[in-house]
Amino acid sequence: SACLVGSEMCIRDSIGIEPGASSLAPLHTHDTSGVIHIESSEKVPFTLGQFFTIWGVKFTNTQLGSYVAGNGSVLSVYANGKPVPNPVGYVMNPHDLIVVGYGKSGSFPTSFEYTFPGGL
């Protein structure tokens, strides 16, 4: 499963999918793989911050849930191996590989590899 590196916060299944609902949020998950599906009738830019809002997890450039940067710990976000200076406003693109890391600087990876299943 996809977890906030250095913590116990993992991406769960059915974020943005209400049980018994006839529609999905435009940003949602189907499983714990960490893949965020973007499905919308309109082509609009969706941000990482919007995903966390749908998830119901507080997300700022220095805080994710109860994890707050300070006292030697940092909250860092990387997309495709590059630092993201404004994580909340980061516009997600198809097949982005996003790392959200919390802890001592340098204590978590900045990139990873993932093979997207066909059709995604």
Side-chain angles (χ1 to χ4, degrees):
S1 68
C3 298
L4 173 67
V5 180
S7 78
E8 297 301 318
M9 181 177 278
C10 298
I11 296 197
R12 60 177 177 76
D13 67 337
S14 300
I15 295 170
I17 301 174
E18 293 296 323
S22 60
S23 63
L24 308 170
L27 301 173
H28 58 271
T29 63
H30 290 281
D31 53 37
T32 59
S33 68
V35 173
I36 300 169
H37 294 255
I38 301 174
E39 297 175 33
S40 174
S41 58
E42 297 178 36
K43 187 172 171 114
V44 296
F46 290 103
T47 66
L48 188 58
Q50 287 173 296
F51 174 72
F52 282 101
T53 297
I54 291 168
W55 188 2
V57 174
K58 182 172 178 126
F59 183 56
T60 71
N61 291 340
T62 58
Q63 180 177 357
L64 180 58
S66 63
Y67 300 99
V68 181
N71 297 323
S73 292
V74 297
L75 176 66
S76 296
V77 176
Y78 296 85
N80 307 310
K82 296 183 176 125
V84 175
N86 177 16
V88 173
Y90 179 76
V91 175
M92 295 184 290
N93 298 292
H95 299 171
D96 272 350
L97 299 174
I98 299 171
V99 173
V100 177
Y102 176 81
K104 304 280 183 215
S105 186
S107 68
F108 43 83
T110 59
S111 65
F112 65 99
E113 292 184 21
Y114 180 80
T115 302
F116 287 89
L120 290 182

